[in-house]
């Protein structure tokens, strides 16, 4: 199999678009044979397709023949051309069954190609088509297309709902059911649920084994392996990895090799086997630096940064940290594109629904004008009233949309718990501030800090106390810094402060004031006396330049030194 795929969900999207789960449209025996073999032997399927006598096919089978030909062109390696061919099929064909089957493939393939705006348009069309679908097999295949698309779009709540519908309507040994189980486990791993999922995993695996799909079993195992690692269960994860290893090697799909080795790197690091962790991470990093493999690359780089820090190879740690920051930035960009496309699709749908409603009202008005020609004055008056109501409704809707837009903007910029800026807005703002300061030949200082032993506080005092502590920490920081200072929660208990017109020496003084302020933080209703402290790292532009990734990486190394020297202190980054 050609190794061209990215995340598991994208690969499944493509395989699903080509997979012979069932024949939905064709009546001709030759077309049935082609659909059965095209995944295992696409070259032979193409030969059979080209040798078919088109004159002997029914009109619907001729359209299905065209669909299969467009679909098989994807094996030639140019998915963009295959997508355009399928788009033409969807536009031209008359058969509802062929049109819906094409729509499933277009929805899945749009997510594989990152065509999110078109993908959401096709997903909405597919949902409308499924609302009137009576054939249960067609409905399940359509639901799977939607499931795969929304998984790729990272709309996990919608994907979970679709997976549950598939499980409800498909038998336990069905490939549809198996893929639904895999999706549920993958969602659990991505959302880092805390409760045990072993019973669910065992049930899902039994269903996938019954369906006869080694590939789906490997996807399920890898999702559960990721969940075990995130739940800090290395021994259980290690036993599962030994079972998976041979199957992953036999399947020989690059994305699965990378995902598995990225998980192994994290697992071996947890187990304390640094050499094996480094070997697995290096395997991932030696592959082409493509956007399709970002998550596996990020996981591997995280392990390499930890190893380099532990070995006190700070120069190497900085290189890995810079590469990690670049990969995370690319991943954030992809996520923003998906979210914008999702919001735009909902906005366009709302506009379309309002246009339809307004058009319906206009049509009714025209009917009334035709029927009441003798009461023209009344009709005109009524028309003006209706139009005024419509305009008032449109103005009200525009006002509501504007309020929602402002609310979404605030949610996109601020951390909902602490009121500090979130990571993505902080990075975006820093990329605007730093070039201005560079033109002014003015230094900028970055402070990175996190709360000491915060996980222990959460475990002993409870998450409610932890949340109050995070909010109180941000409030204390705002009491120290200036109004033009950017304060952001970078994730968990880690925070960043960017100060224009400030060098590393003054920044270290501010960091010390912040450290003392945090020591004075008190949280009410705790089980015992709660002492809070934080470790700080400081860097500035005179050391690493006007690049936010370099500033973060340098400050992170200084922060690591503070932790290494006993925590609750401030360290500056020094260029060696």
């Amino acid at each position: 199999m050609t190794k061209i795929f990215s995340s598991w969900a994208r690969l499944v999207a493509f395989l699903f678009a080509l997979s012979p789960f069932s024949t939905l449209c064709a009546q001709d025996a030759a077309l049935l044979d082609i659909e059965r073999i095209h995944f295992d032997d696409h070259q032979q399927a193409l030969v059979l397709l080209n040798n078919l006598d088109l004159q002997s096919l029914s009109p619907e089978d001729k359209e299905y023949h065209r669909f299969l030909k467009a679909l098989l062109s994807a094996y030639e390696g140019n998915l963009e051309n295959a997508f355009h061919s399928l788009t033409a099929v969807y536009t031209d064909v008359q058969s509802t069954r062929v049109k819906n089957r094409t729509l499933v493939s277009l929805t899945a393939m749009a997510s594989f190609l990152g065509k999110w705006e078109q993908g959401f348009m096709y997903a909405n069309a597919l949902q409308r088509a499924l609302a009137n679908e009576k054939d249960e097999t067609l409905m399940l295949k359509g639901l799977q297309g939607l499931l795969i698309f929304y998984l790729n779009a990272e709309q996990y709540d919608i994907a979970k709902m679709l997976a549950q519908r598939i499980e409800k309507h498909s038998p336990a040994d069905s490939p549809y059911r198996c893929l639904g189980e895999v999706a549920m486990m993958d969602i659990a791993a991505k959302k880092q649920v805390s409760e045990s999922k072993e019973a669910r995993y065992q049930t899902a695996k039994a269903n996938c084994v019954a369906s006869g799909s080694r590939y789906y079993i490997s996807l399920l195992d890898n999702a559960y392996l990721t969940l075990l690692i995130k739940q800090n269960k290395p021994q259980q994860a290690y036993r599962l990895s030994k079972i998976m290893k041979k199957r992953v090697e036999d399947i020989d799909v690059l994305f699965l090799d990378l995902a598995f080795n990225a998980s192994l790197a994290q697992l071996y690091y947890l187990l304390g086997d640094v050499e094996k962790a480094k070997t697995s991470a290096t395997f991932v990093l030696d592959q082409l630096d493509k956007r399709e493999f970002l998550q596996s690359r990020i996981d591997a780089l995280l392990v390499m940064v930890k190893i380099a820090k532990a070995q006190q190879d700070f120069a190497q740690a900085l290189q890995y940290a810079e590469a990690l920051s670049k990969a995370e930035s690319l991943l954030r960009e992809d996520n923003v594109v998906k979210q914008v496309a999702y919001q735009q699709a909902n906005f366009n749908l709302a506009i379309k629904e309002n246009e339809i409603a307004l058009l319906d009202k206009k049509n009714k008005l025209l009917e009334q004008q035709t029927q009441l020609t003798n009461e023209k004055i009344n009709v005109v008056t009524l028309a003006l009233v209706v139009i005024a109501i419509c305009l008032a409704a449109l103005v009200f809707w525009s006002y509501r949309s504007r309020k929602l837009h402002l609310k979404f903007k605030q949610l996109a910029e601020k951390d909902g718990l602490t009121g500090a800026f979130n990571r993505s807005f902080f990075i975006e703002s820093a990329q605007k501030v730093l070039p201005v300061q560079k033109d002014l030949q003015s230094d900028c200082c970055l402070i990175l800090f996190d709360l000491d032993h915060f996980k222990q506080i959460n475990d002993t005092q409870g998450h409610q106390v932890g949340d109050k502590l995070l909010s109180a920490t941000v409030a204390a920081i705002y009491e120290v810094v200036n109004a033009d200072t950017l304060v952001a929660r970078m994730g968990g208990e880690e925070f960043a402060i960017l100060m224009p017109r400030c060098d590393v020496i003054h920044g270290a003084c501010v960091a010390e004031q912040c450290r003392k302020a945090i020591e004075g933080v008190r949280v009410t209703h705790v089980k015992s006396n709660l002492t809070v402290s934080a470790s700080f790292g400081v860097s500035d532009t005179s050391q690493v330049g006007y690049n936010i990734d370099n500033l973060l990486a340098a400050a992170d190394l200084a922060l690591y030194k503070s932790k290494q020297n006993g925590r609750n202190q401030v360290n500056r980054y020094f260029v060696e």
Side-chain angles (χ1 to χ4, degrees), residues 50-319:
N50 290 332
N51 290 337
L52 273 177
D53 179 11
L54 289 178
Q55 300 303 320
S56 65
L57 299 178
S58 68
E60 186 176 47
D61 279 351
K62 286 180 182 178
E63 292 184 341
Y64 194 63
H65 176 278
R66 183 182 173 190
F67 160 72
L68 284 176
K69 191 167 185 178
L71 199 58
L72 286 172
S73 68
Y75 285 111
E76 297 172 5
N78 193 326
L79 298 183
E80 192 73 38
N81 286 345
F83 184 80
H84 287 308
S85 297
L86 284 169
T87 302
V89 172
Y90 176 69
T91 302
D92 297 341
V93 298
Q94 300 300 314
S95 167
T96 301
R97 285 178 167 239
V98 178
K99 187 179 284 286
N100 288 347
R101 178 63 177 88
T102 308
L103 190 57
V104 172
S105 298
L106 280 171
T107 302
M109 201 176 289
S111 67
F112 179 75
L113 292 169
K115 296 179 179 292
W116 297 110
E117 186 172 347
Q118 291 171 271
F120 280 110
M121 179 186 71
Y122 287 133
N124 286 332
L126 181 54
Q127 284 176 302
R128 290 194 297 271
L130 291 179
N132 301 316
E133 183 56 63
K134 304 301 182 184
D135 187 310
E136 190 165 279
T137 306
L138 275 169
M139 184 189 70
L140 283 171
K141 199 165 188 72
L143 287 174
Q144 279 203 307
L146 290 172
L147 168 61
I148 293 161
F149 176 80
Y150 282 111
L151 275 172
N152 289 340
E154 299 186 6
Q155 299 296 323
Y156 297 126
D157 290 338
I158 299 175
K160 184 176 180 180
M161 177 190 69
L162 291 167
Q164 289 170 342
R165 285 185 64 187
I166 289 172
E167 290 177 3
K168 181 179 179 181
H169 293 284
S170 58
D173 59 351
S174 164
Y176 299 102
R177 176 68 168 269
C178 179
L179 183 56
E181 300 274 15
V182 173
M184 292 294 287
M185 188 59 62
D186 190 64
I187 292 169
K190 283 183 171 63
K191 298 184 83 170
Q192 301 186 37
V193 297
S194 58
E195 68 271 17
S196 172
K197 289 287 179 179
E198 183 172 359
R200 172 96 194 200
Y201 163 71
Q202 295 297 344
T203 301
K205 188 162 186 177
N207 291 337
C208 287
V209 169
S211 74
S213 173
R214 291 191 310 151
Y215 181 73
Y216 287 156
I217 295 171
S218 296
L219 290 179
L220 179 70
D221 284 346
N222 197 62
Y224 190 54
L225 178 66
T226 302
L227 183 60
L228 290 174
I229 293 170
K230 288 179 178 179
Q231 291 179 340
N232 197 25
K233 297 178 179 179
Q235 296 301 328
Q236 194 173 345
Y238 179 74
R239 290 193 295 272
L240 178 58
S241 70
K242 300 294 286 184
I243 297 171
M244 290 178 61
K245 191 174 189 303
K246 180 68 167 61
R247 190 186 302 116
V248 172
E249 290 173 352
D250 290 344
I251 293 173
D252 193 27
V253 175
L254 180 57
F255 104 91
L256 188 56
D257 289 341
L258 293 177
F260 181 56
N261 275 278
S263 297
L264 285 181
Q266 298 174 75
L267 174 59
Y268 286 134
Y269 185 80
L270 282 177
L271 293 170
D273 195 332
V274 173
E275 288 306 314
K276 286 187 177 180
K278 188 182 292 186
T279 299
S280 295
T282 301
F283 172 82
V284 176
L285 298 179
D286 283 347
Q287 306 303 317
L288 293 175
D289 185 6
K290 291 186 176 181
R291 292 179 85 109
E292 290 90 342
F293 305 129
L294 274 178
Q295 190 56 61
S296 295
R297 189 171 185 81
I298 287 170
D299 293 340
L301 285 169
L302 278 169
V303 172
M304 295 302 277
V305 168
K306 291 177 182 178
I307 292 174
K309 285 182 178 179
Q311 294 176 346
Q312 298 190 5
D313 187 351
F314 298 118
Q316 187 68 64
L318 180 58
Q319 290 182 5

Side-chain angles (χ1 to χ4, degrees), residues 304-448:
M304 295 302 277
V305 168
K306 291 177 182 178
I307 292 174
K309 285 182 178 179
Q311 294 176 346
Q312 298 190 5
D313 187 351
F314 298 118
Q316 187 68 64
L318 180 58
Q319 290 182 5
Y320 284 130
E322 290 174 348
L324 175 62
S325 180
K326 178 183 176 183
E328 288 178 334
S329 179
L330 289 174
L331 187 61
R332 285 193 298 271
E333 288 176 10
D334 288 347
N335 290 338
V336 168
V337 169
K338 294 175 188 178
Q339 292 301 322
V340 168
Y342 178 65
Q343 295 296 338
Q344 186 64 47
N346 287 340
F347 184 73
N348 291 341
L349 185 60
I351 290 177
K352 190 171 184 179
E353 289 174 349
N354 278 292
E355 288 175 347
I356 292 173
L358 186 58
L359 185 60
D360 287 342
K361 290 180 180 180
K362 287 182 177 180
N363 288 336
K364 290 178 181 179
L365 180 60
L366 288 173
E367 290 175 3
Q368 290 173 352
Q369 287 176 330
T370 302
Q371 294 170 0
L372 303 175
T373 54
N374 295 328
E375 300 178 15
K376 192 172 182 179
I377 296 177
N378 292 336
V379 170
V380 171
T381 304
L382 178 61
L384 291 174
V385 171
V386 171
I387 291 173
I389 292 173
C390 292
L391 289 174
L394 187 60
V395 170
F396 176 74
W397 177 81
S398 299
Y399 171 73
R400 288 281 296 167
S401 296
R402 177 63 178 169
K403 288 190 67 176
L404 286 173
H405 175 75
L406 293 174
K407 183 177 180 180
F408 287 145
K409 184 176 183 296
Q410 183 178 11
L411 289 174
E413 294 176 354
K414 292 294 185 74
D415 173 51
L417 175 63
T418 64
F421 293 117
N422 58 34
R423 182 186 183 96
S424 60
F425 182 76
F426 177 84
I427 297 295
E428 181 183 343
S429 299
Q431 290 171 342
K432 295 177 182 177
V433 169
L434 290 173
V436 173
Q437 297 302 307
K438 183 178 180 180
D439 292 341
L440 296 174
Q441 297 183 347
S442 174
D443 287 333
C444 270
C445 177
L446 188 137
I447 301 172
L448 197 64

